[in-house]
Amino acid sequence: MSTRSEALLARPAAQLEVRQRITVLLTPPGLWLLLFFVIPLGVMALFSFRAASFGAQRQVFTLEHYQRFLADTSAQRLLWRSLLIALETSLICVVLAFPLAYFLSFRAGPSRLMLLTILVIPSWTSFLLRILAWKVLLGSSGIFNSLLLSLGWIEEAAPILLFSRGAVIITLVYIWVPFVALPIFAGLERINRHLLEAAEDLGSRPWQIFLEVILPLSLPGVLAGFLSVFIPTVGEYVTPLLVGGVDGIMYGNLVQDQFARALNWPLGSVMSLVMMLVVLVLTFGLGRGVKVTDLAGV
Amino acid sequence: MQASRARPLVSFGGLYFGLAAAFLYLPILLLILFSFNDSRTLVFPLREFTTRWYAELLHSPELLRSLGNSLWVGLLSSLVATLLGTMAAIAIVRFRFRLQGLFMAVSTIPLVIPSVVLGVALLLVFAQFGVPLSLLAVGIGHTILNIPYAMLIVAARLAGFSNHLEEAGMDLGLTYWGTLLRVTLPISAPALLAAFLSSFTTSFDEFAVAFFLVGTEATLPVYLYSQLRFPSRLPLVVALTALVMVTSILIVLGTEWLQRRSLSTRRRSA
């Protein structure tokens, strides 16, 4: 804060003025977030104790749904499975995206930003379209199979890739790779190039420079990239619906089912709360050094 | 260090980049190819070239209606998100206040929870207070998703120029609010527009939250999703999404350009 505003703060009247400004600036966004974010989460927590979604039973409060969730091993297994799918997807994304980001930052020279834009353009297309693209590509009457058939390379449609856990992961990786490359690239760009020269002058070999200087310094960006895939993927329900089939079902589908089909809102609330807590704990556990701006890709 | 090394014409990195770009573009290009194919099924071999799917779009009132709905929801929710995000950004960059950490946490937590949770929580709160689901509900959900982005984009811009300019404005007789309007906001204009466009494109493509909150009127992604179940409607959907894709590329390229311009003017003024 500059000297002028400090001087302002010294006078009680000016202090009041500053407080007024803060109040005016913060009240609208604060109220909005309170009304449409904090309170809804609170209502969800309240719903998790209700006996039923509608009717008189709604006014009865119970731990029944928590007990049901704790006893429901299939729900827990599904949560575990979704965490694994999210983990695999984000790891594959990081492994695929790191060399891209490295190439752009260290090898691509002045055209790096243009090349980065080229990578990101496909992800500005409709999310549903990109999933649909893979549904079409992977299906038994899909493009891969019909292409191979019409070329005469295969006699009949190959075993379908669609409707499996693998199809979900391939599709999600496709969707997220560019979003992982961005924060890794940003992280690599922040590395002071003089450090690399210093390491070289001190006799480090290129692989040593990579392993001991670049890699550790890139970790915050890598983690941001990892989390920016991991967080939405844990709760994913659209991709499994379209390409997952029975094998590729995820925890998000279970949550969605409680609201859209089963209309068991209290149980759905329990499931959402559990997922939210798991994701928050993992995010704050893993993401200590991660800048929130990296995570947002800003 | 890099300059001294002779670079081969096609490096390993360049090759990898090319493969990655192909991986990212081919599925979309194939869909665009099929949007000009005269067949209701998306399979090889290709049939005649046709533009009839694009022509049919114009005679699909429900689809055009959902497109209009999405444009309205995107426009209004992005305006609100940009306005509120900007106010929050000014507060967190230019002032220190009690519970600032809490405010930052609450306003950025939408970034770190799966959006299905937000959709469900809003569904419950509207049900609790008897508010019927509608496009308004969808728009409100989108503001919560977008406020963190808008706030961070504008905050980055505000942190990039010193508040001496604002102090100068006040020394010259403007009130604090006058300074905000006449000095701060004009300087931040590129960031405001970037925040707006980023919010708009997010809202326009958003499905996971909208799915829970639409009433009788669908947004475009919700409508598209409902159409995916009917294979005969597929070419139409593909044609429409190809159009949407081209439009959103234009919009986001515009955003990028603005953001970069805002960064470069920032560097110049620094």
Side-chain angles (χ1 to χ4, degrees):
Chain A
M1 207 175 270
S2 78
T3 46
R4 189 195 143 100
S5 21
E6 269 157 27
L8 269 178
L9 281 175
R11 284 186 294 124
Q15 216 169 354
L16 193 72
E17 217 170 86
V18 167
R19 197 163 296 162
Q20 232 170 23
R21 287 171 199 162
I22 297 176
T23 310
V24 172
L25 284 171
L26 277 181
T27 305
L31 266 184
W32 193 269
L33 286 168
L34 184 72
L35 271 179
F36 300 120
F37 184 56
V38 179
I39 290 180
L41 289 181
V43 167
M44 188 167 79
L46 187 72
F47 253 93
S48 71
F49 296 106
R50 292 190 189 279
S53 316
F54 312 101
Q57 281 296 300
R58 181 165 155 172
Q59 299 312 327
V60 179
F61 290 90
T62 162
L63 285 174
E64 181 195 331
H65 299 288
Y66 284 91
Q67 286 158 350
R68 212 174 125 187
F69 180 80
L70 288 175
D72 187 353
T73 49
S74 68
Q76 290 162 28
R77 237 180 309 153
L78 213 50
L79 176 58
W80 181 240
R81 229 171 98 102
S82 300
L83 289 170
L84 278 181
I85 289 181
L87 182 72
E88 279 173 59
T89 304
S90 347
L91 283 180
I92 296 173
C93 283
V94 166
V95 169
L96 289 176
F98 191 93
L100 280 176
Y102 182 85
F103 166 75
L104 290 177
S105 181
F106 284 90
R107 298 278 179 268
S111 54
R112 45 150 69 81
L113 285 180
M114 196 195 72
L115 292 178
L116 187 70
T117 308
I118 287 177
L119 281 188
V120 177
I121 284 175
S123 53
W124 297 332
T125 66
S126 159
F127 174 69
L128 284 169
L129 172 85
R130 282 175 284 149
I131 302 176
L132 174 69
W134 281 93
K135 192 177 155 113
V136 170
L137 280 167
L138 298 172
S140 65
S141 59
I143 286 172
F144 277 149
N145 272 312
S146 57
L147 184 66
L148 295 177
L149 275 172
S150 70
L151 290 172
W153 288 3
I154 55 172
E155 295 290 311
E156 55 190 274
I160 45 167
L161 284 156
L162 197 58
F163 303 130
S164 65
R165 190 174 182 275
V168 173
I169 293 180
I170 292 176
T171 308
L172 287 172
V173 166
Y174 172 75
I175 288 170
W176 290 112
V177 157
F179 292 101
V180 184
L182 278 176
I184 299 180
F185 173 78
L188 290 173
E189 288 285 283
R190 278 199 296 267
I191 294 178
N192 186 341
R193 298 305 198 257
H194 295 308
L195 289 175
L196 312 183
E197 283 167 26
E200 204 181 20
D201 290 344
L202 293 170
S204 298
R205 306 192 161 278
W207 60 267
Q208 274 181 314
I209 297 179
F210 179 77
L211 284 180
E212 290 168 25
V213 182
I214 296 175
L215 203 56
L217 287 175
S218 73
L219 280 185
V222 169
L223 258 180
F226 176 89
L227 287 174
S228 68
V229 180
F230 184 81
I231 293 163
T233 304
V234 174
E236 178 63 76
Y237 68 91
V238 187
T239 311
L241 268 180
L242 288 174
V243 302
V246 183
D247 268 354
I249 197 170
M250 287 176 72
Y251 187 76
N253 299 102
L254 199 61
V255 174
Q256 186 223 3
D257 259 8
Q258 304 310 318
F259 289 93
R261 232 178 303 169
L263 291 183
N264 191 342
W265 291 358
L267 184 60
S269 302
V270 173
M271 291 173 168
S272 304
L273 283 173
V274 169
M275 173 163 67
M276 190 175 82
L277 286 180
V278 169
V279 171
L280 283 178
V281 166
L282 287 173
T283 304
F284 289 111
L286 289 169
R288 294 195 161 275
V290 174
K291 296 173 99 173
V292 67
T293 47
D294 270 356
L295 201 59
V298 173
Chain B
M1 170 188 120
Q2 286 160 35
S4 62
R5 197 173 297 153
R7 245 189 255 168
L9 198 61
V10 177
S11 64
F12 182 73
L15 194 68
Y16 183 70
F17 179 88
L19 283 175
F23 170 66
L24 292 172
Y25 277 84
L26 274 181
I28 292 170
L29 293 180
L30 274 174
L31 279 189
I32 294 179
L33 183 69
F34 275 103
S35 76
F36 292 105
N37 184 35
D38 195 4
S39 161
R40 284 210 177 266
T41 49
L42 309 185
V43 293
F44 281 103
L46 292 171
R47 306 270 186 79
E48 307 276 289
F49 174 88
T50 180
T51 53
R52 78 171 158 126
W53 307 123
Y54 290 89
E56 265 186 39
L57 283 181
L58 297 175
H59 306 290
S60 180
E62 275 177 73
L63 187 150
L64 294 177
R65 206 183 158 84
S66 68
L67 179 68
N69 289 342
S70 270
L71 288 173
W72 273 113
V73 169
L75 204 67
L76 292 179
S77 77
S78 309
L79 274 176
V80 172
T82 308
L83 179 70
L84 296 178
T86 302
M87 295 175 97
I90 295 170
I92 61 170
V93 174
R94 293 286 189 253
F95 295 100
R96 294 287 161 267
F97 50 91
R98 264 189 313 142
L99 301 179
Q100 185 155 7
L102 179 73
F103 180 78
M104 282 289 288
V106 170
S107 55
T108 51
I109 275 183
L111 288 173
V112 295
I113 59 174
S115 46
V116 58
V117 175
L118 178 66
V120 163
L122 281 168
L123 169 68
L124 290 174
V125 84
F126 290 131
Q128 172 80 30
F129 297 108
V131 183
L133 295 176
S134 64
L135 292 174
L136 187 67
V138 177
I140 287 173
H142 289 175
T143 61
I144 300 298
L145 289 178
N146 284 323
I147 283 174
Y149 290 97
M151 181 177 85
L152 292 171
I153 290 173
V154 177
R157 175 73 182 165
L158 289 174
F161 67 90
S162 121
N163 60 354
H164 292 322
L165 289 171
E166 289 155 1
E167 283 168 7
M170 286 169 73
D171 285 342
L172 292 171
L174 285 171
T175 63
Y176 175 74
W177 304 106
T179 314
L180 269 193
L181 284 181
R182 309 266 302 265
V183 180
T184 314
L185 291 184
I187 296 178
S188 315
L192 294 188
L193 196 53
F196 175 82
L197 290 176
S198 146
S199 301
F200 183 84
T201 45
T202 304
S203 165
F204 194 74
D205 192 32
E206 208 286 327
F207 177 79
V209 170
F211 175 80
F212 290 102
L213 301 178
V214 284
T216 48
E217 290 282 317
T219 61
L220 185 62
V222 172
Y223 177 77
L224 288 182
Y225 180 77
S226 73
Q227 296 299 297
L228 293 183
R229 269 176 298 166
F230 309 110
S232 64
R233 303 279 290 173
L234 226 49
L236 211 58
V237 171
V238 170
L240 179 75
T241 37
L243 280 183
V244 170
M245 177 177 80
V246 172
T247 317
S248 47
I249 286 176
L250 290 179
I251 291 175
V252 186
L253 279 179
T255 320
E256 280 288 293
W257 180 74
L258 282 168
Q259 226 160 6
R260 229 168 272 157
R261 217 183 62 157
S262 111
L263 283 178
S264 63
T265 47
R266 185 162 97 202
R267 238 168 256 135
R268 247 182 279 138
S269 63

